[in-house]
Amino acid sequence: MKLLKPTWVNHNGKPIFSVDIHPDGTKFATGGQGQDSGKVVIWNMSPVLQEDDEKDENIPKMLCQMDNHLACVNCVRWSNSGMYLASGGDDKLIMVWKRATYIGPSTVFGSSGKLANVEQWRCVSILRNHSGDVMDVAWSPHDAWLASCSVDNTVVIWNAVKFPEILATLRGHSGLVKGLTWDPVGKYIASQADDRSLKVWRTLDWQLETSITKPFDECGGTTHVLRLSWSPDGHYLVSAHAMNNSGPTAQIIEREGWKTNMDFVGHRKAVTVVKFNPKIFKKKQKNGSSAKPSCPYCCCAVGSKDRSLSVWLTCLKRPLVVIHELFDKSIMDISWTLNGLGILVCSMDGSVAFLDFSQDELGDPLSEEEKSRIHQSTYGKSLAIMTEAQLSTAVIENPEMLKYQRRQQQQQLDQKSAATREMGSATSVAGVVNGESLEDIRKNLLKKQVETRTADGRRRITPLCIAQLDTGMNATSTPAALSPSVLTTPSKIEPMKAFDSRFTERSKATPGAPALTSMTPTAVERLKEQNLVKELRPRDLLESSSDSDEKVPLAKASSLSKRKLELEVETVEKKKKGRPRKDSRLMPVSLSVQSPAALTAEKEAMCLSAPALALKLPIPSPQRAFTLQVSSDPSMYIEVENEVTVVGGVKLSRLKCNREGKEWETVLTSRILTAAGSWDVHRQVVVVKEESLHSILAGSDMTVSQILLTQHGIPVMNLSDGKAYCFNPSLSTWNLVSDKQDSLAQCADFRSSLPSQDAMLCSGPLAIIQGRTSNSGRQAARLFSVPHVVQQETTLAYLENQVAAALTLQSSHEYRHWLLVYARYLVNEGFEYRLREICKDLLGPVHYSTGSQWESTVVGLRKRELLKELLPVIGQNLRFQRLFTECQEQLDILRDK
Amino acid sequence: MAKVSVLNVAVLENPSPFHSPFRFEISFECSEALADDLEWKIIYVGSAESEEFDQILDSVLVGPVPAGRHMFVFQADAPNPSLIPETDAVGVTVVLITCTYHGQEFIRVGYYVNNEYLNPELRENPPMKPDFSQVGPVSTSCFPQGRSLYLGGVQPFKLRVKVTS
């Protein structure tokens, strides 16, 4: 072990509260007190690691300093990707920093040091929520969340993908929260506070998993920080300051049952910080010795107020090393290098120490694959989902494949070079603006400066912009080429809107409109007789305000004499006027439609108890069509609203549907529920006729909350329990297309397979029926809570369902979208069999034969075209190069034919 | 975090005779586009004894300010010698550059100004009535005082006082 105290790492004698090494190991950040503000400094790592670099004047030691924090910085943490740095301080703020590419070197103006910042780090987000000093911040594995804790007793979980969105505020501590750590598999987050407790929270629902208090009973709130740590294998959580027999310890908490049987003893004062080595080690295998597989173990550094540092291996009973008197004051933070062989320790005395271990001392670190295998075997899942490493050795067999791979690499390169170009321009931007050197600009600045007079006669100078800022978080991360299949088709179905309909008024409002309604008094009377028992109930019906909308696409309607229509309108009005809205009982009215198809349909429909229904078509236009929802279920009361909207060239008139409460239905469930009839008048075809809803409505007190027709004339029915069914005319069945409580949908995680973030916005009937639940945090939560294998299966099932649903709804855009997502997921996860099935179906028989059942199109899309779209997706994974080649060749053959 | 921060202030034509105008080249960075103009002022401190001898040499509005780095030259006429107490005419004084937004000052950069006779003879035996034509001010060591601007955030304005030199 080597020990070094680089004296040049300091905040001018001011305390350093936090240190963190960048994941790439080239730099590290310190946070602490500045002159009269908080201070974050980014340092070069190489002068710490190598003496030569330390002596070399040309190698900068300090890369950047930021004194934007108003008060002392308590914590600095790099994101796992290394892209961002988060800092939290006494000013109650968390700042997220990103390397700025556009801006040239600068200094902190007015600082005593004249050192220019070598790297430019700009604050991209300021997270304001805490009402007290921020004590610790922590990025979750995979950087999905950022957690912060504060003396305001809360822990806040921020959505790291969408700052400054807050996903959860964890309340429960009754004292200053001074430390945070994430579980390496992301299932939990633990916090330690001055209230003598350590709490473990679930990331699934952000609720408290357990609160551990026993080891902390004797603790006093004397430490500045309580930085706890979770072991990389996930087995142990080690607390900061705990007490055992009035001696300070670091408590070991087992994940299994949160048992507290062991602790690290030996420090004479409170433990301030515990930090696990990111690596898992195994014993070095000596040549010749029996290859007895030893248990993997972890390594942990413990820092204390007693100014000493101890390093422990979980396989040893005693510490590996203890260093006393390392600092003059308490140790504040510890950070391991990613390779696990070095530690940086910082202290309140303002200095930093670096410890360098050799592999002989610690053991052989396990590779990332082995580590993820441990996670996989212990927790059934791992965060390393894709293991690209094994594939890198594969031989590319097909030039086309090579092309795709190259193109992919090219894209990555382009991104990189774009980034470096920006870097390059960053250095030159100071020199050149619009082809002019800064010197020229400065010379002519006064002459060229635009000066105007404001209305009140004051001088106004327009400043010369010398550099622009990239203000976005991900300004350069998504090139347009990566999102080729963003599907945005205009929605063909009106979104649901609540409205109140006043029937009578509306019928008056559009006199002369060719209303296609007529009353059949016989039916009314018959119904009266039949439903005498229930005559009171329709009143409730009218009063009940749970309503939903109906949409009626317009198309051709048969011609009717105007006079007759008016007459009919009058009858409707009379009837309506005849009974005040609330107090009289509802007159059930049967309805007939004056179009031949519908007329016959009406006869066939045999409404057992027809709801009051009247239809009024809004605009006298020659292009008319309508759909009627006639339900024999008397609990449904449908009114036609004369509001017209034009969506995508199709006029829609809204129907209003009033539903009744439970009572009414329980009487009815014993009866036969003959179905909602729905006529697609446009095609003069009866789509749904006397289909029983019994199968889907059976037994329970569900009601139909919404019925709508897609533009392809597929009736879709939403039920009150969140399920949606669509009618499959060819099979005469109701197919489930959406279920709000579907656990599949909630478990499925295919975010990585989406072409881009925007693709979630793929619109169409399916999206409207299912609603958009693209809560990334929610999905990320699932990612951490479900074993990976289970998740794969559910995701596959969910995606298959989506494809099937889009197919039944005949929504071609959505079918294409979901098919692509499905294929991309299969490619990413490496499911060859299913992928092959898809390709086979899309390709069809290469040689035409009459006996073939294969159809070349699906919902209006040419299957082979779809396959062509799929090919680049398949080409992304080398594992499928044979499949890629096969499809490619066969498509070529087909094209040549 | 400060939405506006001063990157650099360069004193142009330094040193120069007393009657020549002050010229400062100011570069600043703004992390978000500002809705309104910034107001910059140059204040000449006539006497260390009292603020009543402070002279606002000039005030100017600067805008529009989009996000990015900007630069401008702020030129102001020399102070009116008649308003300076005779005893304080020669010697070291201070010139301040301040920036306000919506009437709230958030940046204050100060420069020492050394007014002295160029003629060694006059330096030795200064005349009773100061002869400003012979005085050349020398501006040195800056001491920015506050450099933070909070806009629209929860954080209140807070003037940081930073006196170095």
Side-chain angles (χ1 to χ4, degrees):
Chain A
M1 189 201 76
K2 283 180 268 182
L3 175 65
L4 170 78
K5 280 193 83 171
T7 48
W8 45 269
V9 180
N10 63 62
H11 286 198
N12 298 324
K14 299 276 193 314
I16 296 176
F17 282 103
S18 184
V19 64
D20 201 35
I21 301 171
H22 191 274
D24 71 6
T26 58
K27 50 187 159 244
F28 65 97
T30 55
Q33 185 68 50
Q35 207 69 23
D36 50 10
S37 61
K39 192 172 184 181
V40 177
V41 187
I42 297 171
W43 306 89
N44 199 351
M45 194 72 186
S46 72
V48 178
L49 299 174
Q50 278 139 8
E51 204 180 343
D52 294 344
D53 287 352
E54 190 176 4
K55 285 175 184 156
D56 191 338
E57 298 265 307
N58 296 322
I59 292 173
K61 295 192 171 67
M62 188 191 286
L63 298 177
C64 185
Q65 48 177 330
M66 299 89 95
D67 61 351
N68 299 44
H69 270 286
L70 287 180
C72 182
V73 175
N74 291 317
C75 190
V76 285
R77 292 289 180 261
W78 295 101
S79 65
N80 299 291
S81 65
M83 185 123 87
Y84 300 108
L85 174 73
S87 61
D90 283 354
D91 55 2
K92 304 165 192 167
L93 304 180
I94 298 133
M95 295 191 189
V96 181
W97 305 85
K98 188 191 173 198
R99 178 121 183 234
T101 46
Y102 286 103
I103 298 169
S106 71
T107 54
V108 175
F109 180 66
S111 64
S112 45
K114 281 289 158 210
L115 273 170
N117 284 339
V118 180
E119 285 184 4
Q120 307 302 315
W121 288 80
R122 271 177 19 86
C123 179
V124 286
S125 296
I126 303 172
L127 310 179
R128 299 181 170 94
N129 183 255
H130 286 295
S131 56
D133 307 3
V134 178
M135 298 310 293
D136 205 2
V137 291
W139 296 88
S140 73
H142 272 206
D143 291 340
W145 306 307
L146 176 70
S148 62
C149 67
S150 158
V151 299
D152 65 8
N153 300 1
T154 64
V155 176
V156 172
I157 311 292
W158 308 85
N159 183 353
V161 189
K162 216 169 112 197
F163 286 126
E165 189 183 287
I166 293 175
L167 291 176
T169 304
L170 314 183
R171 293 174 212 279
H173 278 294
S174 56
L176 325 180
V177 191
K178 290 181 172 176
L180 284 173
T181 183
W182 291 92
D183 160 27
V185 287
K187 205 173 169 189
Y188 302 110
I189 177 169
S191 58
Q192 193 175 353
D194 265 355
D195 60 2
R196 296 179 186 136
S197 76
L198 184 156
K199 294 192 195 297
V200 182
W201 314 81
R202 287 186 295 268
T203 57
L204 176 64
D205 51 3
W206 304 115
Q207 296 301 309
L208 188 67
E209 166 79 17
T210 185
S211 178
I212 296 148
T213 54
K214 204 168 155 276
F216 311 105
D217 282 344
E218 301 169 51
C219 293
T222 53
T223 55
H224 187 85
V225 288
L226 294 166
R227 304 200 206 269
L228 63 172
S229 182
W230 214 302
S231 68
D233 59 6
H235 284 310
Y236 303 109
L237 169 63
V238 178
S239 80
H241 188 33
M243 293 292 260
N244 188 359
N245 285 326
S246 51
T249 61
Q251 184 68 46
I252 300 168
I253 296 149
E254 285 171 61
R255 188 196 193 91
E256 192 117 342
W258 310 114
K259 290 190 288 260
T260 54
N261 299 327
M262 297 180 284
D263 45 18
F264 293 128
V265 200
H267 283 284
R268 279 161 288 132
K269 283 186 180 170
V271 171
T272 48
V273 49
V274 176
K275 197 64 159 266
F276 268 99
N277 191 316
K279 291 281 180 203
I280 303 173
F281 294 92
K282 61 174 185 281
K283 274 263 152 50
K284 223 171 166 62
Q285 298 284 333
K286 287 191 190 86
N287 286 342
S289 72
S290 61
K292 205 168 123 192
S294 68
C295 224
Y297 54 90
C298 299
C299 173
C300 177
V302 179
S304 157
K305 263 181 97 175
D306 67 6
R307 301 172 291 149
S308 63
L309 177 84
S310 56
V311 178
W312 305 71
L313 299 179
T314 51
C315 61
L316 294 179
K317 288 223 163 77
R318 303 209 159 265
L320 182 73
V321 63
V322 182
I323 304 158
H324 290 293
E325 314 271 311
L326 189 58
F327 297 103
D328 295 334
K329 283 182 180 165
S330 165
I331 290 176
M332 297 307 289
D333 203 2
I334 298 170
S335 178
W336 287 89
T337 57
L338 203 62
N339 67 14
L341 295 176
I343 342 177
L344 270 174
V345 189
C346 73
S347 161
M348 190 93 105
D349 70 6
S351 66
V352 164
F354 181 70
L355 273 73
D356 191 18
F357 293 95
S358 69
Q359 288 218 333
D360 296 327
E361 289 162 324
L362 295 182
D364 278 341
L366 298 187
S367 66
E368 282 304 305
E369 283 94 78
E370 289 172 295
K371 195 168 144 185
S372 70
R373 218 170 295 143
I374 289 179
H375 287 164
Q376 190 88 46
S377 63
T378 324
Y379 309 109
K381 67 165 186 164
S382 155
L383 286 174
I385 287 167
M386 294 211 270
T387 44
E388 297 289 335
Q390 302 114 320
L391 283 174
S392 55
T393 49
V395 179
I396 299 170
E397 297 165 2
N398 179 349
E400 280 294 312
M401 187 76 191
L402 191 66
K403 220 160 72 189
Y404 277 113
Q405 290 277 335
R406 286 242 177 93
R407 211 173 295 160
Q408 240 181 313
Q409 284 169 359
Q410 192 58 42
Q411 273 181 3
Q412 285 167 359
L413 275 177
D414 284 351
Q415 279 176 13
K416 257 188 216 157
S417 63
T420 42
R421 229 178 300 137
E422 279 158 14
M423 299 284 194
S425 66
T427 47
S428 59
V429 78
V432 182
V433 180
N434 302 330
E436 265 183 300
S437 80
L438 196 62
E439 283 310 306
D440 291 344
I441 292 170
R442 290 179 66 166
K443 238 179 266 170
N444 300 321
L445 187 56
L446 189 61
K447 269 181 251 163
K448 284 164 86 183
Q449 195 160 281
V450 183
E451 221 174 281
T452 49
R453 291 274 167 185
T454 59
D456 52 349
R458 302 190 54 190
R459 276 166 68 204
R460 184 180 192 232
I461 296 173
T462 307
L464 180 76
C465 186
I466 52 173
Q468 280 175 343
L469 297 186
D470 50 337
T471 38
M473 289 274 283
N474 302 312
T476 54
S477 60
T478 37
L482 281 183
S483 48
S485 45
V486 180
L487 301 170
T488 41
T489 49
S491 160
K492 292 294 193 299
I493 297 178
E494 262 275 276
M496 290 163 274
K497 269 183 216 154
F499 59 86
D500 67 327
S501 78
R502 266 159 253 132
F503 181 82
T504 359
E505 277 167 39
R506 272 200 208 91
S507 14
K508 271 182 191 160
T510 52
L516 293 165
T517 48
S518 72
M519 315 292 246
T520 47
T522 44
V524 174
E525 264 153 45
R526 195 176 63 222
L527 279 163
K528 261 188 192 167
E529 284 159 17
Q530 280 178 352
N531 298 335
L532 216 62
V533 211
K534 302 160 202 147
E535 52 184 19
L536 283 175
R537 276 157 192 155
R539 195 196 304 152
D540 307 341
L541 184 73
L542 272 173
E543 283 160 358
S544 77
S545 62
S546 64
D547 51 11
S548 62
D549 308 2
E550 293 286 327
K551 284 114 202 171
V552 182
L554 307 183
K556 264 181 209 151
S558 53
S559 59
L560 276 164
S561 80
K562 209 178 172 185
R563 205 185 58 80
K564 191 183 168 195
L565 289 171
E566 279 166 359
L567 265 171
E568 280 156 6
V569 172
E570 270 168 31
T571 23
V572 174
E573 282 174 23
K574 253 185 215 162
K575 288 273 180 190
K576 287 283 172 183
K577 278 175 190 161
R579 50 185 172 89
R581 270 195 86 81
K582 284 197 172 168
D583 293 345
S584 83
R585 48 174 235 242
L586 174 72
M587 280 279 231
V589 177
S590 176
L591 173 130
S592 75
V593 181
Q594 307 289 324
S595 91
L599 265 176
T600 47
E602 193 265 334
K603 278 175 201 153
E604 287 162 8
M606 277 297 287
C607 297
L608 288 175
S609 62
L613 196 143
L615 183 84
K616 190 140 193 108
L617 286 176
I619 293 167
S621 83
Q623 283 284 317
R624 276 180 272 110
F626 58 91
T627 302
L628 295 179
Q629 307 287 346
V630 183
S631 172
S632 62
D633 177 355
S635 69
M636 195 186 280
Y637 172 75
I638 304 171
E639 282 181 25
V640 180
E641 215 225 328
N642 67 342
E643 205 171 302
V644 190
T645 36
V646 178
V647 178
V650 183
K651 289 199 187 82
L652 298 175
S653 162
R654 292 207 200 104
L655 280 167
K656 184 174 171 168
C657 168
N658 279 335
R659 281 179 293 110
E660 215 266 338
K662 260 186 192 171
E663 272 192 322
W664 182 246
E665 276 193 43
T666 42
V667 184
L668 271 171
T669 38
S670 58
R671 295 164 54 106
I672 307 158
L673 287 168
T674 42
S678 134
W679 298 274
D680 187 342
V681 183
H682 181 51
R683 280 193 246 149
Q684 307 271 303
V685 180
V686 177
V687 183
V688 185
K689 184 185 75 187
E690 264 193 275
E691 298 299 338
S692 176
L693 291 170
H694 202 68
S695 53
I696 52 174
L697 283 172
S700 54
D701 50 0
M702 283 185 292
T703 53
V704 177
S705 62
Q706 185 192 21
I707 295 178
L708 49 85
L709 266 179
T710 68
Q711 63 174 130
H712 297 288
I714 309 284
V716 180
M717 185 162 62
N718 279 0
L719 299 185
S720 56
D721 65 348
K723 286 183 179 150
Y725 292 86
C726 81
F727 189 75
N728 186 335
S730 52
L731 297 173
S732 286
T733 50
W734 290 94
N735 296 359
L736 181 71
V737 285
S738 158
D739 185 355
K740 290 245 160 65
Q741 275 111 49
D742 189 5
S743 51
L744 285 182
Q746 293 181 0
C747 293
D749 181 65
F750 47 89
R751 244 189 326 165
S752 56
S753 306
L754 288 174
S756 80
Q757 211 67 352
D758 309 336
M760 286 306 273
L761 301 172
C762 169
S763 61
L766 187 61
I768 286 162
I769 294 160
Q770 295 181 331
R772 288 187 190 113
T773 46
S774 57
N775 188 341
S776 61
R778 196 185 163 94
Q779 286 181 352
R782 307 299 160 195
L783 172 70
F784 291 127
S785 60
V786 187
H788 186 60
V789 184
V790 177
Q791 195 183 27
Q792 269 183 345
E793 289 300 320
T794 51
T795 309
L796 280 178
Y798 174 72
L799 290 175
E800 277 163 11
N801 281 350
Q802 289 295 93
V803 173
L807 197 60
T808 26
L809 287 170
Q810 295 183 15
S811 165
S812 56
H813 281 286
E814 283 175 305
Y815 176 73
R816 183 168 148 262
H817 169 76
W818 286 109
L819 189 71
L820 282 173
V821 173
Y822 179 52
R824 205 170 280 123
Y825 188 76
L826 291 178
V827 170
N828 285 349
E829 301 288 315
F831 288 102
E832 181 158 10
Y833 179 72
R834 297 193 200 208
L835 200 60
R836 194 170 279 276
E837 287 289 299
I838 294 182
C839 292
K840 233 195 248 168
D841 178 60
L842 291 179
L843 189 67
V846 180
H847 304 286
Y848 182 76
S849 64
T850 42
S852 164
Q853 297 278 310
W854 189 74
E855 289 185 40
S856 64
T857 58
V858 54
V859 286
L861 297 167
R862 295 176 59 85
K863 284 185 175 175
R864 284 170 186 161
E865 293 299 319
L866 275 175
L867 184 59
K868 272 184 201 153
E869 280 189 64
L870 233 57
L871 277 182
V873 177
I874 299 169
Q876 281 169 6
N877 193 336
L878 259 187
R879 205 178 295 169
F880 299 123
Q881 52 174 323
R882 298 245 163 98
L883 180 63
F884 178 88
T885 317
E886 275 172 42
C887 295
Q888 179 86 23
E889 279 170 356
Q890 298 202 45
L891 277 177
D892 284 347
I893 293 170
L894 286 165
R895 196 186 52 217
D896 293 344
K897 274 183 182 173
Chain B
M1 190 197 73
K3 290 229 164 85
V4 173
S5 57
V6 171
L7 299 170
N8 194 31
V9 178
V11 186
L12 306 178
E13 288 144 49
N14 184 33
S16 59
F18 186 85
H19 287 294
S20 68
F22 281 107
R23 261 182 212 161
F24 295 101
E25 179 201 275
I26 300 166
S27 22
F28 62 97
E29 186 183 300
C30 178
S31 60
E32 242 171 72
L34 300 181
D36 290 301
D37 292 350
L38 296 166
E39 186 182 358
W40 293 80
K41 276 185 200 145
I42 297 181
I43 301 164
Y44 185 86
V45 177
S47 168
E49 308 295 323
S50 164
E51 278 186 31
E52 80 179 85
F53 297 106
D54 285 3
Q55 292 185 41
I56 296 177
L57 300 185
D58 202 354
S59 109
V60 71
L61 295 173
V62 170
V65 185
R69 281 190 177 190
H70 309 279
M71 207 175 183
F72 69 100
V73 173
F74 191 2
Q75 178 173 333
D77 289 336
N80 183 350
S82 60
L83 298 175
I84 302 172
E86 284 174 11
T87 48
D88 292 310
V90 176
V92 176
T93 184
V94 161
V95 66
L96 295 170
I97 302 164
T98 68
C99 183
T100 54
Y101 187 76
H102 288 165
Q104 175 76 52
E105 180 178 312
F106 64 94
I107 291 172
R108 177 170 280 231
V109 181
Y111 280 91
Y112 290 112
V113 180
N114 188 11
N115 294 318
E116 57 179 7
Y117 292 108
L118 297 173
N119 188 334
E121 215 170 285
L122 284 171
R123 217 180 287 174
E124 291 297 314
N125 306 302
M128 288 298 285
K129 183 98 178 143
D131 179 2
F132 285 102
S133 63
Q134 299 293 315
V135 175
V138 184
S139 312
T140 48
S141 51
C142 75
F143 53 100
Q145 294 202 323
R147 334 181 275 96
S148 312
L149 170 57
Y150 292 94
L151 300 177
V154 190
Q155 291 296 308
F157 270 94
K158 186 169 164 190
L159 191 68
R160 280 195 278 160
V161 178
K162 184 185 231 171
V163 180
T164 57
S165 92

